[in-house]
Amino acid sequence: MPAGAAGYIDVGGLTKRYGATAVVDGLSFSVAEGELLTLLGPSGCGKTTTLRCIGGFIAQDSGTIRIAGSDMAGVPPHRRRVGMVFQSYALFPHLSVFENVAFGLRVRKVDEPELSRRVGRALEMVRLAEFATRYPKQLSGGQQQRVALARALVYEPRVLLLDEPLSNLDAKLRVEMRSEIRSLQRALGVTALYVTHDQEEALSISDRVMVMNQGRIEQLSTPWELYNRPATRFSASFVGVANILTAEVLEVRPSEITVLVAGSLRLTFPRIGFPDGREFWLVARPETLCLGRPGDTGSEMLAEGKVAQLTMLGATLRAEVEIAGGGRILLDIVHGGAPPTLSPGERAAVRFDPERIVFIPR
């Protein structure tokens, strides 16, 4: 959403400390109504703590949290109309699927007809109506995950919080379930915050992704921008595979700039669009580079080296090329079923696409 625009969820200066450590360090961001924002980062970066503060399960030390324009200071979780899906699912093994979903409503003393209506609707949403009388141990991992999701939706929440909800599932089921969660979130129009450390999951499910590191925001953008235009070295290295090389401006001419890359490569870039400054990180995704033989092309955007390794990755072949000074460049090649034309130990040329290179100030 546009910078400065008020959101359905507005977080300002959120801080949470444990002892001397700021687990969440002055976070400010907004989430639009109906948006799915993913909090992405390594373990210990503060994403789950942020989620629990928004849900009211943890009290922040400072900062503000507003939902639908209302300040949540001192408002307990059950009055925030927030649904929470935990990593462990936290299902009661001695209760049926129906009673697991109904548990919170019974605590709130919802009358039986209304309780039955809401539980039935929630189970229909997650396609588990016929499993209402079963117990958790009789369900697959994916079905248990859907029960946990139904339990969060039964409150008819205005905000849905999901804390690593797919981490206990196998890889294939994770892909299926993230698609189901996204479809359901869109159909209901509920505003959602989703926590994960899985970059592929974040890119595939989100309207926007907030990359966190050490309690702070590294980048908040769309999945496309995050992958193709990383704003920091951390974002570039954490999301996907990237070649991150040192770059220093050597010479500036009217239409071109010569840059020393990785301490040994002299590459020439168009001056138009080149950022200000002298020292950068050059970021190039493996699939944006081309591999050939020395002499195949006279492009000035060429680096020569030796093929160190070839790795089969299904539809792509990853080549690792060693350049002067001991640096290595990774390239992903769509092989189309044809065997590689280069072998480890052979000389090779790497061609850079200037339009798909990102320079991040050092």
Side-chain angles (χ1 to χ4, degrees):
M1 60 187 298
Y8 194 74
I9 302 172
D10 287 301
V11 176
L14 182 66
T15 300
K16 179 62 182 178
R17 294 181 176 274
Y18 289 107
T21 303
V23 179
V24 178
D25 194 2
L27 290 190
S28 296
F29 63 94
S30 294
V31 188
E33 186 171 7
E35 181 180 20
L36 192 156
L37 175 70
T38 293
L39 280 57
L40 174 68
S43 297
C45 72
K47 54 190 186 294
T48 291
T49 300
T50 300
L51 199 74
R52 289 173 177 262
C53 286
I54 292 171
F57 302 102
I58 297 175
Q60 69 263 34
D61 293 326
S62 60
T64 59
I65 298 170
R66 301 180 71 84
I67 298 178
S70 299
D71 193 338
M72 293 293 106
V75 179
H78 67 278
R79 291 187 178 174
R80 297 192 182 197
R81 282 191 60 196
V82 168
M84 182 86 179
V85 179
F86 297 94
Q87 181 177 1
S88 64
Y89 309 152
L91 302 180
F92 297 110
H94 62 289
L95 296 181
S96 68
V97 166
F98 184 96
E99 290 300 331
N100 262 284
V101 177
F103 183 82
L105 298 180
R106 293 198 185 283
V107 171
R108 289 168 172 78
K109 302 189 184 304
V110 174
D111 63 75
E112 200 65 30
E114 176 65 8
L115 181 147
S116 294
R117 182 193 70 80
R118 289 168 67 171
V119 172
R121 181 170 180 267
L123 290 176
E124 285 177 3
M125 286 180 191
V126 298
R127 295 183 289 111
L128 285 178
E130 68 272 27
F131 294 86
T133 59
R134 294 195 186 182
Y135 290 83
K137 66 180 180 181
Q138 298 173 307
L139 305 177
S140 68
Q143 289 167 338
Q144 290 182 31
Q145 194 276 339
R146 294 210 296 269
V147 174
L149 185 57
R151 188 176 54 190
L153 295 173
V154 77
Y155 303 119
E156 299 176 351
R158 54 187 178 180
V159 174
L160 183 62
L161 306 177
L162 303 107
D163 185 11
E164 306 248 20
L166 309 181
S167 60
N168 294 326
L169 305 180
D170 62 60
K172 183 179 180 182
L173 191 52
R174 277 204 306 271
V175 172
E176 294 175 2
M177 289 307 304
R178 75 191 185 203
S179 178
E180 288 195 22
I181 288 174
R182 181 57 162 153
S183 296
L184 188 57
Q185 181 266 334
R186 279 176 167 160
L188 296 174
V190 65
T191 306
L193 275 80
Y194 189 104
V195 163
T196 184
H197 63 272
D198 186 318
Q199 51 191 274
E200 181 180 308
E201 196 171 292
L203 294 175
S204 67
I205 203 172
S206 314
D207 291 306
R208 290 187 301 156
V209 180
M210 187 168 85
V211 179
M212 294 182 63
N213 183 32
Q214 297 181 340
R216 297 182 179 182
I217 299 173
E218 288 279 339
Q219 184 167 348
L220 175 53
S221 61
T222 66
W224 189 95
E225 290 169 335
L226 177 60
Y227 186 81
N228 292 285
R229 295 288 182 265
T232 69
R233 190 185 193 282
F234 180 86
S235 292
S237 62
F238 189 78
V239 179
V241 177
N243 294 289
I244 304 176
L245 309 171
T246 59
E248 180 182 354
V249 174
L250 293 180
E251 186 179 356
V252 179
R253 294 181 295 280
S255 61
E256 297 175 333
I257 290 180
T258 299
V259 178
L260 182 67
V261 177
S264 62
L265 304 176
R266 293 173 66 96
L267 302 179
T268 302
F269 294 86
R271 186 171 179 180
I272 296 176
F274 199 90
D276 294 332
R278 295 201 65 84
E279 293 188 336
F280 303 91
W281 297 109
L282 181 154
V283 179
R285 298 291 184 186
E287 68 274 12
T288 68
L289 306 177
C290 294
L291 183 67
R293 297 181 182 277
D296 283 353
T297 176
S299 170
E300 67 275 12
M301 297 296 296
L302 201 66
E304 292 190 6
K306 182 177 70 174
V307 178
Q309 186 170 317
L310 294 172
T311 305
M312 183 69 177
L313 299 176
T316 60
L317 184 70
R318 177 160 295 166
E320 196 170 335
V321 178
E322 187 176 291
I323 59 176
R328 296 198 172 194
I329 297 175
L330 299 177
L331 307 90
D332 285 348
I333 307 154
V334 179
H335 54 75
T341 58
L342 286 168
S343 303
E346 288 191 75
R347 298 293 297 173
V350 178
R351 189 169 70 251
F352 291 82
D353 181 350
E355 295 186 357
R356 301 188 69 184
I357 287 175
V358 176
F359 287 97
I360 298 171
R362 276 198 282 158

